[in-house]
Short mmCIF file of all heavy atoms in Angstrom, two decimals:
data_model
loop_
_atom_site.label_atom_id
_atom_site.label_comp_id
_atom_site.label_asym_id
_atom_site.label_seq_id
_atom_site.Cartn_x
_atom_site.Cartn_y
_atom_site.Cartn_z
N ASP L 144 14.22 17.56 15.03
CA ASP L 144 14.89 16.18 15.30
C ASP L 144 15.86 16.30 16.48
O ASP L 144 15.88 17.33 17.20
CB ASP L 144 15.58 15.69 13.99
CG ASP L 144 16.71 16.59 13.60
OD1 ASP L 144 17.19 17.51 14.26
OD2 ASP L 144 17.10 16.53 12.40
N THR L 145 16.60 15.22 16.78
CA THR L 145 17.47 15.09 17.96
C THR L 145 18.58 16.20 17.78
O THR L 145 19.22 16.51 18.72
CB THR L 145 17.90 13.80 18.12
OG1 THR L 145 18.65 13.33 16.87
CG2 THR L 145 16.90 12.81 18.56
N ASP L 146 18.85 16.60 16.55
CA ASP L 146 19.89 17.60 16.30
C ASP L 146 19.45 19.07 16.45
O ASP L 146 20.22 20.02 16.34
CB ASP L 146 20.64 17.41 15.02
CG ASP L 146 21.44 16.14 14.95
OD1 ASP L 146 21.88 15.69 15.97
OD2 ASP L 146 21.42 15.49 13.88
N GLY L 147 18.00 19.26 16.69
CA GLY L 147 17.49 20.65 16.77
C GLY L 147 16.99 21.13 15.54
O GLY L 147 16.68 22.24 15.53
N ASN L 148 17.22 20.33 14.39
CA ASN L 148 16.69 20.81 13.09
C ASN L 148 15.24 20.78 12.93
O ASN L 148 14.70 19.66 13.30
CB ASN L 148 17.35 20.02 11.94
CG ASN L 148 18.77 20.07 12.01
OD1 ASN L 148 19.51 21.13 12.04
ND2 ASN L 148 19.51 18.95 11.92
N ARG L 149 14.51 21.88 12.36
CA ARG L 149 13.22 21.78 12.28
C ARG L 149 12.74 20.70 11.19
O ARG L 149 13.35 20.69 10.04
CB ARG L 149 12.54 23.12 11.84
CG ARG L 149 11.10 23.20 11.51
CD ARG L 149 10.72 24.51 11.05
NE ARG L 149 9.68 24.37 10.01
CZ ARG L 149 8.63 25.11 9.90
NH1 ARG L 149 8.50 26.18 10.62
NH2 ARG L 149 7.73 24.88 8.96
N VAL L 150 11.84 19.87 11.57
CA VAL L 150 11.28 18.80 10.65
C VAL L 150 9.78 19.09 10.28
O VAL L 150 9.31 18.43 9.40
CB VAL L 150 11.59 17.36 11.16
CG1 VAL L 150 13.09 17.14 11.12
CG2 VAL L 150 10.83 17.21 12.47
N GLY L 151 9.15 19.90 11.01
CA GLY L 151 7.76 20.19 10.81
C GLY L 151 7.11 21.23 11.71
O GLY L 151 7.80 21.67 12.70
N HIS L 152 5.97 21.70 11.39
CA HIS L 152 5.20 22.64 12.20
C HIS L 152 3.68 22.34 12.10
O HIS L 152 3.22 22.16 11.07
CB HIS L 152 5.51 24.13 11.68
CG HIS L 152 4.91 25.12 12.58
ND1 HIS L 152 3.87 25.70 12.20
CD2 HIS L 152 5.31 25.66 13.65
CE1 HIS L 152 3.43 26.62 13.15
NE2 HIS L 152 4.36 26.58 14.02
N VAL L 153 3.05 22.48 13.23
CA VAL L 153 1.69 22.26 13.23
C VAL L 153 1.04 23.58 13.86
O VAL L 153 1.49 24.06 14.86
CB VAL L 153 1.21 21.10 14.04
CG1 VAL L 153 -0.36 20.98 14.21
CG2 VAL L 153 1.77 19.83 13.46
N ARG L 154 0.03 24.14 13.18
CA ARG L 154 -0.58 25.37 13.72
C ARG L 154 -2.10 25.05 13.89
O ARG L 154 -2.77 24.67 12.95
CB ARG L 154 -0.36 26.49 12.61
CG ARG L 154 -0.96 27.77 13.20
CD ARG L 154 -0.61 29.00 12.32
NE ARG L 154 -0.97 28.84 10.90
CZ ARG L 154 -2.11 29.07 10.29
NH1 ARG L 154 -3.13 29.64 11.12
NH2 ARG L 154 -2.42 28.86 9.10
N LYS L 155 -2.62 25.37 15.02
CA LYS L 155 -4.08 25.27 15.41
C LYS L 155 -4.68 26.60 14.89
O LYS L 155 -4.19 27.68 15.45
CB LYS L 155 -4.25 24.88 16.88
CG LYS L 155 -5.66 24.76 17.24
CD LYS L 155 -5.83 24.39 18.74
CE LYS L 155 -7.24 24.19 19.08
NZ LYS L 155 -8.07 25.30 19.26
N LYS L 156 -5.69 26.50 14.13
CA LYS L 156 -6.29 27.61 13.66
C LYS L 156 -7.42 28.02 14.68
O LYS L 156 -8.07 27.26 15.19
CB LYS L 156 -6.86 27.44 12.25
CG LYS L 156 -5.83 27.08 11.18
CD LYS L 156 -6.42 26.90 9.82
CE LYS L 156 -5.42 26.60 8.78
NZ LYS L 156 -5.99 26.45 7.52
N PHE L 157 -7.67 29.40 14.76
CA PHE L 157 -8.62 30.02 15.56
C PHE L 157 -9.99 30.01 14.80
O PHE L 157 -10.08 30.50 13.68
CB PHE L 157 -8.29 31.30 16.07
CG PHE L 157 -9.40 31.91 17.06
CD1 PHE L 157 -9.51 31.37 18.21
CD2 PHE L 157 -10.15 33.01 16.62
CE1 PHE L 157 -10.44 31.82 19.17
CE2 PHE L 157 -10.99 33.56 17.50
CZ PHE L 157 -11.23 32.96 18.86
N ASN L 158 -11.05 29.37 15.26
CA ASN L 158 -12.30 29.30 14.60
C ASN L 158 -13.34 30.24 15.13
O ASN L 158 -14.58 29.98 14.95
CB ASN L 158 -12.78 27.92 14.66
CG ASN L 158 -11.99 26.99 13.87
OD1 ASN L 158 -11.40 27.25 12.90
ND2 ASN L 158 -11.61 25.85 14.42
#
Side-chain angles (χ1 to χ4, degrees):
D144 63 17
T145 54
D146 294 326
N148 300 314
R149 177 183 143 140
V150 295
H152 184 263
V153 175
R154 182 173 56 90
K155 182 177 184 283
K156 298 180 179 183
F157 183 68
N158 296 319

